[in-house]
Amino acid sequence: MTKPPEDFLSVLNARSQDIFKKIVERYLDTGMPVGSRDLSRMLQVGLSPASVRNVMADLEDLGLIAAPHTSAGRAPTQEGLRFFVDAMLEVGAVDERERSQIASHIEGRQGQVEDFLTEASQLLSGLSQGAGVVIAAKADMVLRHIEFVRLDASRAMAVLVGQDGQVENRILDLPPGLAASTLTQASNYLAHHVVGRTIAEARKVLAEQRAEQRAELDELTQKLVDAGIATLSQPSASSQPTVIVRGRANLINDAMASEDLARMRQLFDELESKDGLLDLLGDAEKAQGVRIFIGSENKLFSLSGSSVILSPYKDANDKVVGVLGVIGPTRLNYARIVPVVDYTANVISAMMARKR
C-alpha cells in the first residue's frame, strides 16, 4: 500500500529530497535511469558520487527508486512517482498559446456534442504526445411516450420512447386477472406523470406521489404502476458510456521504444471492452478537479502500466457527465499536462452549458 507523502517527507532531509527530485525529473525528461556520477554533476551543492550513492541507497530502501533491469542507474518506482506527484509536483498555468489553441478548436467546432468531445480528445493527444481519451456517460433518456403492450396473459412489454426517437422495450410480469382496461389506465397514468422527464426524474416523481396513487388507483392498477416504476429502474444497453480515444499511435511508438507492445495491446483491449469505465465515471463524480492514476493504481489501466490524468466535465446542471484526459507512459510531463487537462475540461463544461 502506498504511503502518504508526509511519511516520506518526515524521513527525507533536504539533500535526499533534492537528489530524489533530480532522479525523477531526469526520468520524466528522458525516460532513462540516472547514475550517481551524473547526479553529482547536476546538484547545486557539491557532493561526491560516493555520497550520492549513499543517499540513493537510502531512497532505494524506502522503495522510492529502483534499478531497472541490469542498469547501474536508478529510476523512480511507481510509489516514488506517486510521492513526487503528491508532494513535489509544481503545476503551472496553461501557456497562452495552448489556451488559445484549445479554446478556438473546441468552441469553433460545430455539430453534435460527440463532435467537440472528439476534437478535445484529438487536441489532448497532440498536446501531450500521448493518447487523448474522453469517457462520456450516455445522456439519460427524456421520455416522450410510455405504454404497456400485452404480450400474453402473464406478460406485457413496456415501450419507452425518448424525445430523440430512441426506443427501449422492457418485459414485465402482469398481476393475475388483469383486464385490458387496467393496462390502459396504468399506461395513461404513467404517461401523464413521466412525459418530458428523464427516466431518473420520472422514478423520483412517481415514488414521491405514491400516497396519492393509492387514493387514485385501484389495487391491480397500482401493482401495474409499481411494475412500471421497477421497469424504469432497469439498466439498459444505452447506459454504457461512449469512449473516444485519439492518438493511439503515440502509445504504440512509445511501447516500441521500450519493447513492450503487449501492454499497449492490453490497454486498447480494456478500452474497447469498456470494463471499468463506469467506475472511472463514478470516481469522477466524487473528485474535485484533476485525478492522476499511476501504473496499477486504477484497475482499468493496471495491466498496461500506464499513467492517466483525468478531469471531470459537467453539464448545464453542474452534474458530472464524463471525464477527459491523457493516457501515456509513467514518464508523462505531469507539470505541463495536468493544467492542460484541467483547462480543457473547463472549456468542455462551458460548451455543455451552452448546449442546454
Side-chain angles (χ1 to χ4, degrees), residues 100 264 304:
S100 175
M264 283 301 109
S304 62

Side-chain angles (χ1 to χ4, degrees), residues 155-175:
R155 294 182 309 150
M157 180 168 63
V159 181
L160 284 63
V161 182
Q163 287 186 349
D164 60 356
Q166 179 184 348
V167 179
E168 291 187 12
N169 299 321
R170 304 179 188 180
I171 306 300
L172 66 150
D173 296 326
L174 295 176

Side-chain angles (χ1 to χ4, degrees), residues 104-163:
S104 62
H105 276 71
I106 296 175
E107 292 173 352
R109 190 78 182 183
Q110 301 297 318
Q112 300 299 313
V113 170
E114 192 164 324
D115 293 328
F116 62 78
L117 292 178
T118 300
E119 183 67 28
S121 179
Q122 188 71 53
L123 267 171
L124 287 171
S125 170
L127 292 171
S128 68
Q129 297 304 302
V133 62
V134 176
I135 305 168
K138 281 290 187 181
D140 202 356
M141 179 192 287
V142 177
L143 292 164
R144 188 177 73 197
H145 178 74
I146 181 171
E147 68 173 308
F148 295 127
V149 178
R150 188 189 288 271
L151 299 176
D152 53 40
S154 61
R155 294 182 309 150
M157 180 168 63
V159 181
L160 284 63
V161 182
Q163 287 186 349

Side-chain angles (χ1 to χ4, degrees), residues 19-235:
I19 289 174
F20 172 70
K21 189 175 181 182
K22 290 289 191 298
I23 293 172
V24 175
E25 289 173 344
R26 171 62 71 89
Y27 172 75
L28 295 180
D29 186 44
T30 68
M32 302 296 290
V34 58
S36 56
R37 189 172 298 278
D38 286 338
L39 270 172
S40 66
R41 298 192 192 103
M42 294 162 57
L43 297 170
Q44 291 183 347
V45 178
L47 282 179
S48 68
S51 297
V52 172
R53 279 195 296 273
N54 289 335
V55 174
M56 292 173 74
D58 293 338
L59 294 171
E60 193 165 9
D61 288 341
L62 289 170
L64 295 174
I65 62 173
H69 309 300
T70 56
S71 169
R74 298 295 182 271
T77 61
Q78 177 178 305
E79 191 168 27
L81 284 173
R82 169 50 62 190
F83 168 58
F84 174 82
V85 165
D86 289 345
M88 297 183 170
L89 184 64
E90 297 176 4
V91 176
V94 183
D95 74 47
E96 194 55 43
R97 181 185 62 82
E98 290 179 340
R99 183 183 293 265
S100 175
Q101 184 179 358
I102 294 166
S104 62
H105 276 71
I106 296 175
E107 292 173 352
R109 190 78 182 183
Q110 301 297 318
Q112 300 299 313
V113 170
E114 192 164 324
D115 293 328
F116 62 78
L117 292 178
T118 300
E119 183 67 28
S121 179
Q122 188 71 53
L123 267 171
L124 287 171
S125 170
L127 292 171
S128 68
Q129 297 304 302
V133 62
V134 176
I135 305 168
K138 281 290 187 181
D140 202 356
M141 179 192 287
V142 177
L143 292 164
R144 188 177 73 197
H145 178 74
I146 181 171
E147 68 173 308
F148 295 127
V149 178
R150 188 189 288 271
L151 299 176
D152 53 40
S154 61
R155 294 182 309 150
M157 180 168 63
V159 181
L160 284 63
V161 182
Q163 287 186 349
D164 60 356
Q166 179 184 348
V167 179
E168 291 187 12
N169 299 321
R170 304 179 188 180
I171 306 300
L172 66 150
D173 296 326
L174 295 176
L178 191 77
S181 60
T182 303
L183 201 65
T184 301
Q185 183 184 4
S187 292
N188 290 340
Y189 181 87
L190 284 171
H192 176 71
H193 289 288
V194 307
V195 168
R197 292 187 166 99
T198 66
I199 290 178
E201 290 168 346
R203 286 198 305 265
K204 183 178 180 182
V205 166
L206 290 168
E208 289 173 348
Q209 294 185 347
R210 186 161 175 74
E212 295 176 23
Q213 290 171 19
R214 286 199 181 93
E216 187 175 341
L217 305 173
D218 61 39
E219 184 179 352
L220 279 180
T221 309
Q222 178 65 58
K223 286 183 179 179
L224 192 54
V225 169
D226 288 345
I229 297 173
T231 296
L232 291 174
S233 300
Q234 295 173 8

